[in-house]
Amino acid sequence: MLNHFTKSFHKNPQSPNPSNKLKGLTHLLTLLSCLSLLTHCGKKEETAAQTTPILIAATPELNVLTEALLNGELSVESTPEESLPSLLKEAAERTYVLIPASLASDNYETWLTELLAEGAKPLVVTNPSSLSPEKTLLSLNEITKSLLENTSVSSELEKQSDRLRAEIEPLSQRWNTALQTLPKEAKLYTIHKELDPLSTILPTEFSVIELEALAENIQTAKTKLALLAHEPKKRTTIKLEELGLSSIRFDAGPLTSTSALLESLETNTTSLEQLAKSVQSAFAQPILKDFEHGMVELIENYCIECHDEINEEGGVNFELFLTESSAIKRPEFWEEVKAQVELGAMPPKKRDQLTSEEKEFFITWIDSLSERWDSGEFGADPGRTTVRRLNKNEYNYTIRDLFGIKIRPADGFPEDSGGAAGFDNNADALFLPALLMENYVEAAGHIVEAIYANREARARYLFKRPTTRKSEEPVAKTVLNRWISLAFRRKATPEEVDKYTAIFTQARTKAKTFDDAMKMPLLGLLIAPDFLYRSEVEQAKPDAYLISDFDLASRLSYFLWSSMPDPELLSLASKGELSQEGVLEEQVIRMLKDPKADSLPMHFAGQWFGWEELRSRANPDKDRYPEFTFPLRVALYKESTSFFQHLIKTNASAYDLLQSDYAFLNEKVAKHYGIPGVEGPEFRKVDLLDDTRGGVLGMGSVLVATSLPLRSSPAVRGDFILADILGTPPPDPPMNVEQLPADDQEIKNQSFREALEAHRQDPNCKSCHQIIDPLGFAMEQYDAIGRWRTTHNGHPIDASGQLPDGTAISSPNDIRNHLLENKDLFIRNFTEKLLSYALGRELTAYDRPIVADITQKVIAEDGNVHTIFIEVAKSYPFRHRRNDDYTPAGAITKATQISE
Amino acid sequence: MKKSWHIERRHMLRGIGATVALPFLEAMMPSSRVLAQEAEDVAKSAGALGAEGQKVRFTGVFMPNGFDHSRFTPKRSNLDELSPILSPLEGLQDYVNVVTNMNSVGGHALGTAGMLTGSTPVKTPNASDLDVLHPSIDQIIGQATKHTTVLPSLELATHTPRSGTSMNGFTEIYTSFMSYRSANTPVPPEIDPMRAFDRLFKNARLSSDKSARKKADIIAPNKSVLDLVLDNAKSLQRRLGRSDQQKLEEYLTAVREIEEKAANASANNKELTITSEVLKNISATRRDIRKAYGGGEEDNIKTVPNLSYQDHIRLQFEIIALALWSNTTRSATFMFGDGLNARNVSFIDGVSGNHHTISHHGDKAENLEIFAKINTFFVAEYANFLKRLEGMKEGSSNVLENSICYMSSNISTGQSHNGRSMPAIIAGHAGGSLKGNRHIDAKGAPSGDALRSVLHEMKVRGRIGEGNGRLSGLT
């Protein structure tokens, strides 16, 4: 072995030069790594006695010295030729070996390996820079001498080496740890050389590892790593070139001192750690493009048996989503699936369960899909609301504002249904059956009579009167021009004016007076589709486009007032100024302050939080709850509308809906709540003196709407909080679930709560109910008509529970505080609801980035109510529309597509 | 054919005036006599006729949440011995066929929308994708027979429609409506008995009634106006996008129907059968309705009439009965509630709670017993309706003789939520061709078979429901 050493020296008796130095350093570094690897995973028996290897520092002087030694220019004790080798050998045998910065030796590693295998210990030699060559030589002599004599010099060196060793030890450990964190599937090979698998990781030929390349190419690398990770387990190695990493560089500065070397080592260790981390996370993270490998396998193993096209349990069919292109279109579907899997509700307990890695992969994939949608990666689409019939309320308010009469003809119309978000202004849910058309015709007749019976309204309609018989037709034209424009909410076309005037002319042949003849065209206006429906100008463009100012005026007024635009809006629209940013914001604020915005507390908030139900479905049992009189019903309804109205009028924070230290009460409601000192029928702001009330959860109307006729319902209330306040609905219950008795007075010996809990022992029920029930139980201190109670059926109420994150709750106030910790969810939900209401359609995945953006802005403004309305009015879907043939990935600019 | 009652009627009607139903149309279209004649000619053989030429009429009744089968299913193949839930039908067995074991779609939402179509609606949470595949049977019958009557169809109910998405992710529109004019357009029912009554019988009074109707003083659109708005709609259709076409098509259809009804205005007198007997009953019902409403509450925020559930049901059934007796329509439907029916039914003896919750009986004996009481209540209301029809004389028979009524549910038996083993209670002799006093086990045949049998009895053609034969044993 020493011969190798000797040989190598003889082979390259070069004088040191910079490139050689560099190479040498590299070699040393490599050496270090090899050493550490060897120690770590090498031949255990032989190296058992090894301590942690120590860095060899190279010194130019040492090179010179060694060479001089070898060249016989120096002498030690014996002749160089013969005795140096043996000297060195002896030194080696005594476990020290001097390793100079020998260069360019192919067998260098082998020699060292062999040396080490024989129990040699490398020696740290610091740079005696203060020494002159002669002195260095001398020190070498001394070193050698002491080596032989085992003197204190060696212990000095030993100390130095110990110190270095101590500094390098942690680096070495980090090195090893970094190696260990690499997934076992990923053992990197160098491009140029395949070393012994145990000693892989770093290239030997390379002088450089490029971390920048890593950062830039990480996505590619991740993709490929993941692909490889999911292949059947044939492969155990990956080549760097397969990762797309073409070159790697270690940061190597001039290593003239151990500190520099240490620094370099530090950097290199860090580089390795980062590399290992990236590789590790690349293996852990599912790649979206790789849906078809990872997700599909899991679906096929755990889901498809029950949820395929044939069985479609629970209405869920995964066969629709087995390709990436179909799957990524439905983030909301995956979010529902995630909720089931996360809670452990699916797969059902009696079936195979996902391992924790599989579950994490599954959920991470879904989360990353949601994030991608939220970031707007899939393109923009402002959506397209179908032509929208005025609903009942809008009809009434529009008539009120158009003519100034107090008639409410739509009260007799059939109720409108609603869309998925729960609002009755959803265009697709508004139908026009024969019955309703009859109602419109009849109502139109009544309205015309009412206008004519009211002097002001009549004068407003017939604002111009003819003086002669001949002037009648031109006057009719002028009058009808204005009224068509008002009724149709846009400028009348000349053809329309002519047609309606012709109706007048024809009617005039039979009518006794001008006024009488003007009834018929008015009637026509009131049943015309341009009045009954809100349509928007469809521009012949393949891209999305800004809606016209008149269309914007209508959208704004029906959004904030459920009624037609007023003169100010129409004037701004006709001047083309409405869509200017400052103007739009100003108008929104003006409109929110107008009394017409009372439609929002009634129709928007009422349908969102449920107090709308007091107007129809909510019916506490008359015998069980005789206190729930009709006047109380009305009062509780008005409490809620007054509260929401206050938020809008004063631009308060939306968080007051979650928790407030005030409520809007009148005498009747206050009595119902047991709050003293409130007199009179008007509603006014009252400071709450305890925490039994506050926010929407303290409102009687909401509490009634979330109860059954004979009892309160913890499940309904828990679901309400999760779904309607936080926007995180629990999974749907299985179809054939048995409910608790409808009447809680029937459960004799248990408290209702005990009965509820016994009912839910089934683990299939528990997985979802563990998030629903604690909320519902904590609300039990409110009875089915919203009164506060501490006992029920003779049992004290146990409202205590624990949320999934461990938070203990035991009262509605605890829930309210919990809600305040989830402001982001609440604001997101508020935004979704408001956007759906404003647009009159259900939201799609393309609305997600809009919602995310608005949510962020509103939270930054501390939940300020005006901000939400303004941001919705300024949002992309509210200001734009597109046609049926639009595709979101971008504009189709073929000229041939324009037209028809 | 002897039409003695026709002659009697004509005398009466001269005192009443031209139009009984849809009074606001009275002012419309005197010039549509030509149309009326055409309509009359076309109408001659539309729909089945009874022995004396009476027009056979259809009624569909929806009861939510299914039955307790153990107390429903008759033991034998006839109805001599009635099961507990069917006991209110005592005395009517001759008119009744009880069908059990049909296969239907099931579910609160899909089952409701599918009861009168026999098909599975497209599963969607969105109103925009609503699709029940084809019209429901009442609309098919209505459109086929509309020229022989005044209103093509009459839809009544007691509930306001739900909004949003059902618990299983389907649009609540399905849960709320069982009548569909086309695959994508539901027909919302009238839930206010007062309005329903006035729509049909506002001007129907005995000539001796001193508080005779005032002359119609509300203005109605003339033909030029209707042409103008139809034109407006067509040009809108051209201007707007594809997805708007359907909505505007609804408008066009609705306006044309108004025209049709007005055109029938003079023809419809020939079709009405309003004898003095009928009139007496109409007036009595008018008083009944006014009484049931009681005083209006101040500051009324409610969008539903202030009636007890029992009064509400009774009055709506009464109005349907009168509409059938007077031949104001030949196709009527009634929904006891929506597909969930979370209504408080504690007024039923031995029951405490709401219908939906109780229907989740868990197959437990004590729960089923209570659930069965609710079933019996609804069957009793249906039986009252049938008895009423039986008591309405026409010629030498009665309305029930010349009717076919179909009552079924969306869910077979609450708990399960599925549509398997679905029963139906069919009543009436359909003009004489349908026998009664039978219990027919459908053995899993699709409910579409039963609906096809109904169409057969009505002599109306139309495609409906899954499967393709008629229910064997029934027709």
Side-chain angles (χ1 to χ4, degrees):
Chain A
M1 182 183 49
L2 277 171
N3 292 328
H4 289 303
F5 177 79
T6 321
K7 270 189 205 151
S8 66
F9 271 85
H10 283 291
K11 256 190 197 161
N12 302 292
Q14 299 147 354
S15 41
N17 61 51
S19 62
N20 285 341
K21 277 185 210 164
L22 206 52
K23 266 193 174 173
L25 294 170
T26 316
H27 275 285
L28 283 176
L29 294 169
T30 315
L31 181 57
L32 169 72
S33 62
C34 294
L35 292 176
S36 56
L37 279 164
L38 285 164
T39 313
H40 190 68
C41 33
K43 304 139 199 176
K44 289 196 181 107
E45 329 80 59
E46 293 95 330
T47 57
Q50 293 286 338
T51 58
T52 311
I54 305 169
L55 176 67
I56 314 307
T59 70
E61 291 81 352
L62 192 56
N63 277 347
V64 172
L65 292 174
T66 318
E67 280 176 33
L69 260 178
L70 292 170
N71 292 336
E73 290 156 19
L74 290 176
S75 70
V76 186
E77 283 181 13
S78 49
T79 58
E81 281 302 335
E82 298 124 2
S83 57
L84 185 60
S86 62
L87 189 67
L88 290 171
K89 188 183 179 194
E90 230 181 279
E93 281 161 1
R94 289 183 205 186
T95 77
Y96 285 108
V97 63
L98 271 176
I99 302 185
S102 175
L103 310 166
S105 161
D106 286 339
N107 294 320
Y108 177 69
E109 295 92 336
T110 324
W111 165 80
L112 183 60
T113 311
E114 286 170 20
L115 266 185
L116 291 174
E118 288 172 34
K121 266 194 279 192
L123 173 70
V124 172
V125 179
T126 58
N127 180 13
S129 54
S130 52
L131 295 174
S132 63
E134 296 79 28
K135 282 211 172 149
T136 312
L137 192 61
L138 284 172
S139 26
L140 183 63
N141 278 337
E142 280 177 14
I143 289 167
T144 319
K145 227 168 156 189
S146 70
L147 277 180
L148 296 167
E149 290 166 8
N150 217 354
T151 63
S152 61
V153 176
S154 68
S155 63
E156 195 50 50
L157 287 168
E158 186 73 54
K159 272 194 220 138
Q160 285 172 4
S161 74
D162 278 340
R163 188 174 53 78
L164 261 174
R165 194 185 296 135
E167 289 188 59
I168 288 159
E169 172 86 36
L171 286 176
S172 180
Q173 279 185 1
R174 279 172 54 188
W175 195 269
N176 294 331
T177 311
L179 294 180
Q180 283 179 316
T181 63
L182 283 172
K184 56 188 186 315
E185 296 88 358
K187 287 186 184 168
L188 307 177
Y189 269 56
T190 61
I191 291 177
H192 295 279
K193 203 163 182 175
E194 282 187 6
L195 304 178
D196 171 1
L198 294 176
S199 60
T200 57
I201 299 303
L202 288 182
T204 51
E205 285 299 323
F206 285 131
S207 57
V208 166
I209 293 180
E210 197 153 31
L211 286 177
E212 286 118 11
L214 211 63
E216 280 167 22
N217 296 318
I218 200 66
Q219 185 61 35
T220 325
K222 276 202 272 191
T223 310
K224 294 183 179 169
L225 279 169
L227 276 171
L228 293 163
H230 288 112
E231 281 179 22
K233 329 264 182 228
K234 297 183 257 188
R235 306 199 40 182
T236 55
T237 57
I238 296 176
K239 295 194 181 184
L240 278 178
E241 67 194 341
E242 294 178 81
L243 294 180
L245 297 170
S246 52
S247 61
I248 308 180
R249 175 178 63 213
F250 265 136
D251 198 14
L255 295 179
T256 53
S257 64
T258 48
S259 54
L261 193 64
L262 280 174
E263 213 180 285
S264 162
L265 248 198
E266 169 79 48
T267 315
N268 298 326
T269 310
T270 313
S271 303
L272 178 66
E273 284 173 330
Q274 285 174 344
L275 174 59
K277 225 178 180 175
S278 316
V279 171
Q280 189 191 26
S281 71
F283 270 71
Q285 257 188 43
I287 306 302
L288 278 181
K289 287 189 175 59
D290 198 43
F291 171 78
E292 278 149 38
H293 283 90
M295 290 293 278
V296 170
E297 190 182 316
L298 291 176
I299 292 166
E300 285 173 347
N301 290 341
Y302 295 104
C303 317
I304 209 109
E305 199 180 322
C306 303
H307 296 290
D308 62 357
E309 201 167 305
I310 302 173
N311 295 308
E312 218 174 346
E313 294 282 332
V316 176
N317 171 14
F318 280 97
E319 283 195 68
L320 298 170
F321 305 114
L322 292 178
T323 63
E324 193 195 329
S325 52
S326 56
I328 61 175
K329 289 199 175 93
R330 301 285 306 274
E332 74 288 349
F333 167 74
W334 293 106
E335 285 172 348
E336 280 178 32
V337 173
K338 172 190 159 183
Q340 298 264 13
V341 171
E342 228 174 9
L343 287 174
M346 281 289 145
K349 294 286 179 267
K350 58 184 191 282
R351 301 265 180 174
D352 289 339
Q353 298 292 307
L354 283 85
T355 66
S356 60
E357 290 88 28
E358 289 172 330
K359 204 171 178 177
E360 198 183 313
F361 174 89
F362 197 77
I363 290 175
T364 311
W365 187 91
I366 295 174
D367 279 343
S368 50
L369 180 65
S370 297
E371 275 165 31
R372 283 178 86 188
W373 274 104
D374 282 355
S375 72
E377 185 185 314
F378 294 101
D381 181 359
R384 191 188 179 288
T385 304
T386 313
V387 67
R388 201 168 7 157
R389 196 201 90 210
L390 298 181
N391 72 15
K392 276 180 76 156
N393 298 313
E394 290 166 347
Y395 185 97
N396 275 341
Y397 299 142
T398 304
I399 297 292
R400 170 198 71 192
D401 292 339
L402 195 46
F403 301 114
I405 50 175
K406 283 192 170 45
I407 178 176
R408 290 178 58 101
D411 283 357
F413 296 176
E415 284 297 300
D416 297 312
S417 184
F423 297 114
D424 63 2
N425 65 357
N426 179 306
D428 295 302
L430 292 167
F431 305 99
L432 209 165
L435 172 63
L436 183 55
M437 195 67 223
E438 290 174 24
N439 290 335
Y440 280 145
V441 171
E442 204 177 1
H446 286 301
I447 292 168
V448 170
E449 294 308 318
I451 290 170
Y452 273 62
N454 178 313
R455 203 150 41 124
E456 273 176 41
R458 184 173 182 155
R460 201 177 308 126
Y461 173 51
L462 300 169
F463 62 90
K464 196 158 183 218
R465 322 278 352 269
T467 44
T468 64
R469 186 71 200 243
K470 251 193 166 173
S471 67
E472 277 189 7
E473 199 172 290
V475 169
K477 207 164 180 165
T478 312
V479 170
L480 288 172
N481 186 20
R482 173 190 293 190
W483 283 96
I484 294 171
S485 303
L486 283 172
F488 293 1
R489 303 171 287 267
R490 55 163 172 81
K491 290 207 168 88
T493 66
E495 297 80 36
E496 282 169 340
V497 178
D498 284 342
K499 286 190 175 143
Y500 277 87
T501 310
I503 300 282
F504 158 78
T505 311
Q506 187 199 46
R508 190 68 179 90
T509 59
K510 296 203 191 98
K512 295 204 181 78
T513 63
F514 169 81
D515 284 23
D516 262 353
M518 285 297 281
K519 282 185 183 180
M520 195 56 81
L522 180 56
L523 192 67
L525 281 181
L526 292 170
I527 59 172
D530 272 310
F531 171 69
L532 295 173
Y533 285 91
R534 292 169 41 202
S535 65
E536 294 179 346
V537 173
E538 187 124 329
Q539 298 175 34
K541 289 183 181 158
D543 307 345
Y545 46 89
L546 262 177
I547 60 176
S548 73
D549 266 21
F550 277 106
D551 287 346
L552 182 59
S554 266
R555 281 198 187 188
L556 271 176
S557 67
Y558 279 98
F559 169 31
L560 301 174
W561 290 339
S562 293
S563 185
M564 59 179 281
D566 68 349
E568 187 171 333
L569 278 175
L570 289 172
S571 158
L572 285 168
S574 64
K575 285 186 273 178
E577 289 172 15
L578 185 56
S579 43
Q580 289 167 15
E581 189 158 312
V583 176
L584 185 54
E585 276 197 42
E586 260 172 37
Q587 287 301 304
V588 171
I589 296 175
R590 170 181 81 88
M591 293 169 81
L592 287 174
K593 296 208 163 111
D594 190 301
K596 287 193 264 196
D598 284 354
S599 64
L600 291 167
M602 289 200 285
H603 308 304
F604 169 67
Q607 289 182 82
W608 175 13
F609 290 113
W611 52 82
E612 174 67 22
E613 303 242 328
L614 285 186
R615 304 182 66 193
S616 59
R617 208 168 291 118
N619 273 312
D621 187 85
K622 289 193 167 63
D623 296 323
R624 184 68 58 86
Y625 299 108
E627 306 87 350
F628 194 80
T629 60
F630 187 81
L632 178 61
R633 175 192 291 262
V634 176
L636 290 177
Y637 178 79
K638 287 189 170 166
E639 172 200 358
S640 296
T641 53
S642 306
F643 185 94
F644 198 85
Q645 190 187 56
H646 161 79
L647 296 184
I648 294 180
K649 295 278 178 267
T650 61
N651 193 13
S653 165
Y655 303 138
D656 286 1
L657 292 163
L658 302 177
Q659 173 72 288
S660 64
D661 55 9
Y662 64 90
F664 271 75
L665 307 173
N666 72 354
E667 185 171 337
K668 195 174 265 313
V669 178
K671 262 208 182 71
H672 186 65
Y673 293 163
I675 294 176
V678 180
E679 283 167 26
E682 319 78 37
F683 282 87
R684 82 297 307 261
K685 188 171 184 234
V686 175
D687 290 326
L688 296 169
L689 300 175
D690 63 30
D691 59 17
T692 58
R693 299 279 163 185
V696 296
L697 288 181
M699 293 179 183
S701 63
V702 173
L703 297 165
V704 168
T706 53
S707 295
L708 303 179
L710 288 163
R711 62 167 171 87
S712 59
S713 173
V716 175
R717 287 180 180 167
D719 180 74
F720 171 77
I721 292 166
L722 288 170
D724 297 311
I725 298 190
L726 293 175
T728 58
D732 297 332
M735 290 274 246
N736 56 345
V737 72
E738 184 198 334
Q739 289 208 20
L740 277 165
D743 182 358
D744 56 5
Q745 283 185 357
E746 294 179 351
I747 310 165
K748 300 286 182 261
N749 296 319
Q750 291 171 304
S751 73
F752 187 59
R753 179 178 177 141
E754 284 162 358
L756 262 160
E757 287 183 317
H759 182 71
R760 286 168 189 139
Q761 282 319 300
D762 183 341
N764 279 314
C765 300
K766 224 184 173 74
S767 46
C768 298
H769 275 277
Q770 67 190 345
I771 61 167
I772 302 172
D773 290 358
L775 294 168
F777 287 143
M779 292 288 286
E780 274 289 274
Q781 284 156 316
Y782 294 124
D783 72 2
I785 59 172
R787 290 177 298 198
W788 183 260
R789 63 182 174 183
T790 47
T791 63
H792 184 53
N793 282 351
H795 300 269
I797 294 199
D798 174 13
S800 61
Q802 207 183 59
L803 296 174
D805 66 3
T807 319
I809 55 171
S810 62
S811 72
N813 197 52
D814 286 342
I815 298 179
R816 290 193 273 267
N817 290 332
H818 167 68
L819 292 175
L820 284 177
E821 316 250 317
N822 286 283
K823 287 174 176 164
D824 52 332
L825 292 176
F826 170 65
I827 296 293
R828 192 190 168 105
N829 188 35
F830 194 149
T831 305
E832 283 178 352
K833 292 282 183 196
L834 194 63
L835 190 61
S836 185
Y837 182 81
L839 296 173
R841 62 166 173 81
E842 285 126 0
L843 298 187
T844 68
Y846 292 99
D847 294 310
R848 294 179 68 119
I850 311 293
V851 170
D853 184 52
I854 297 178
T855 303
Q856 214 181 46
K857 290 186 173 134
V858 172
I859 291 176
E861 293 292 321
D862 218 30
N864 181 290
V865 163
H866 280 194
T867 308
I868 310 185
F869 283 90
I870 290 170
E871 288 303 322
V872 165
K874 281 164 58 180
S875 70
Y876 179 72
F878 195 79
R879 306 283 308 281
H880 294 77
R881 72 197 303 273
R882 46 81 162 172
N883 302 339
D884 281 317
D885 53 9
Y886 172 84
T887 57
I892 305 169
T893 49
K894 290 186 240 165
T896 51
Q897 282 205 321
I898 298 179
S899 78
E900 269 155 13
Chain B
M1 266 185 272
K2 210 163 171 248
K3 294 194 187 178
S4 52
W5 69 97
H6 271 167
I7 298 167
E8 208 194 314
R9 173 190 47 85
R10 268 199 211 113
H11 284 302
M12 291 320 303
L13 280 173
R14 232 179 272 134
I16 294 170
T19 318
V20 175
L22 310 180
F24 63 92
L25 288 181
E26 198 174 330
M28 275 170 82
M29 328 240 288
S31 52
S32 33
R33 241 169 258 137
V34 172
L35 276 162
Q37 183 58 49
E38 278 174 14
E40 213 184 309
D41 293 332
V42 167
K44 282 301 180 255
S45 54
L49 296 176
E52 292 158 336
Q54 303 95 327
K55 303 188 186 83
V56 179
R57 285 141 282 179
F58 168 78
T59 307
V61 176
F62 169 74
M63 187 202 80
N65 298 325
F67 295 95
D68 165 21
H69 291 279
S70 67
R71 293 182 174 81
F72 177 93
T73 309
K75 289 199 173 53
R76 297 204 286 265
S77 60
N78 62 46
L79 301 175
D80 291 339
E81 194 188 307
L82 287 169
S83 63
I85 292 174
L86 295 174
S87 57
L89 295 167
E90 189 61 55
L92 289 167
Q93 287 98 319
D94 220 38
Y95 287 103
V96 174
N97 284 288
V98 174
V99 179
T100 52
N101 242 331
M102 296 190 292
N103 201 23
S104 66
V105 61
H108 285 296
L110 303 180
T112 309
M115 188 186 104
L116 291 183
T117 62
S119 298
T120 306
V122 166
K123 294 172 182 170
T124 174
N126 293 329
S128 47
D129 304 320
L130 177 89
D131 189 347
V132 297
L133 309 188
H134 57 75
S136 51
I137 194 173
D138 60 309
Q139 297 297 305
I140 294 176
I141 293 172
Q143 287 302 303
T145 59
K146 64 184 174 183
H147 292 297
T148 68
T149 185
V150 178
L151 287 181
S153 64
L154 177 65
E155 300 81 16
L156 300 184
T158 64
H159 64 278
T160 50
R162 291 180 171 267
S163 212
T165 321
S166 75
M167 246 187 206
N168 298 102
F170 307 132
T171 167
E172 293 276 48
I173 294 175
Y174 289 150
T175 317
S176 309
F177 304 123
M178 77 164 171
S179 210
Y180 291 83
R181 178 69 191 268
S182 76
N184 317 101
T185 30
V187 185
E190 175 64 73
I191 65 169
D192 188 326
M194 187 116 73
R195 288 190 62 88
F197 181 89
D198 282 347
R199 181 180 178 218
L200 305 183
F201 302 123
K202 186 165 187 176
N203 294 335
R205 280 172 165 77
L206 289 166
S207 59
S208 58
D209 189 342
K210 288 304 167 204
S211 64
R213 58 170 188 84
K214 300 174 291 186
K215 269 196 74 93
D217 49 7
I218 56 158
I219 181 173
N222 61 26
K223 186 166 189 342
S224 306
V225 168
L226 290 182
D227 284 346
L228 175 53
V229 298
L230 282 173
D231 222 34
N232 182 182
K234 285 188 208 133
S235 72
L236 252 184
Q237 266 188 327
R238 283 191 297 271
R239 281 207 313 267
L240 298 178
R242 264 191 334 263
S243 36
D244 300 321
Q245 302 303 309
Q246 197 173 291
K247 289 293 175 193
L248 290 165
E249 205 49 51
E250 287 174 39
Y251 177 88
L252 287 167
T253 308
V255 174
R256 288 189 190 119
E257 274 200 26
I258 297 255
E259 280 189 311
E260 245 173 26
K261 286 167 194 166
N264 282 338
S266 43
N268 65 14
N269 293 337
K270 296 197 178 70
E271 310 310 326
L272 282 175
T273 49
I274 301 193
T275 61
S276 54
E277 196 56 40
V278 174
L279 267 177
K280 274 202 205 117
N281 279 272
I282 289 176
S283 299
T285 301
R286 184 185 284 117
R287 286 193 297 275
D288 201 359
I289 292 175
R290 263 76 173 144
K291 190 158 141 233
Y293 275 63
E297 309 261 13
E298 268 199 41
D299 210 355
N300 190 359
I301 56 165
K302 279 186 111 173
T303 55
V304 294
N306 205 17
L307 299 168
S308 71
Y309 192 32
Q310 302 98 300
D311 275 348
H312 206 163
I313 293 172
R314 185 175 56 78
L315 290 173
Q316 298 287 55
F317 264 138
E318 179 65 23
I319 291 167
I320 291 178
L322 289 172
L324 297 175
W325 197 9
S326 63
N327 268 297
T328 307
T329 187
R330 290 178 66 180
S331 181
T333 51
F334 177 64
M335 296 176 79
F336 277 112
D338 63 26
L340 211 73
N341 211 31
R343 212 182 256 270
N344 186 1
V345 287
S346 305
F347 57 85
I348 301 175
D349 246 339
V351 173
S352 186
N354 74 72
H355 186 187
H356 175 235
T357 305
I358 293 174
S359 73
H360 280 261
H361 47 71
D363 285 314
K364 295 217 175 87
E366 61 272 20
N367 294 342
L368 283 168
E369 195 183 327
I370 299 173
F371 180 50
K373 292 195 165 99
I374 301 179
N375 299 160
T376 313
F377 164 75
F378 286 118
V379 173
E381 292 296 322
Y382 183 53
N384 287 343
F385 170 64
L386 297 176
K387 284 183 188 132
R388 194 80 182 88
L389 296 184
E390 194 193 11
M392 289 170 161
K393 302 267 169 277
E394 41 186 39
S396 52
S397 65
N398 60 67
V399 175
L400 185 55
E401 175 73 28
N402 300 314
S403 281
I404 178 163
C405 304
Y406 182 91
M407 169 163 143
S408 188
S409 187
N410 53 351
I411 285 171
S412 165
T413 173
Q415 183 62 35
S416 63
H417 285 92
N418 67 47
R420 296 190 285 275
S421 306
M422 179 65 73
I425 307 174
I426 302 178
H429 286 155
S433 59
L434 190 61
K435 286 193 317 192
N437 197 4
R438 291 180 297 183
H439 163 214
I440 298 163
D441 181 341
K443 298 193 177 76
S447 60
D449 283 0
L451 295 176
R452 276 182 286 277
S453 292
V454 170
L455 283 178
H456 177 75
E457 291 301 322
M458 286 296 300
K459 292 208 173 62
V460 167
R461 305 176 69 187
R463 301 207 48 212
I464 194 160
E466 280 156 30
N468 61 50
R470 294 200 296 270
L471 186 59
S472 64
L474 185 61
T475 53

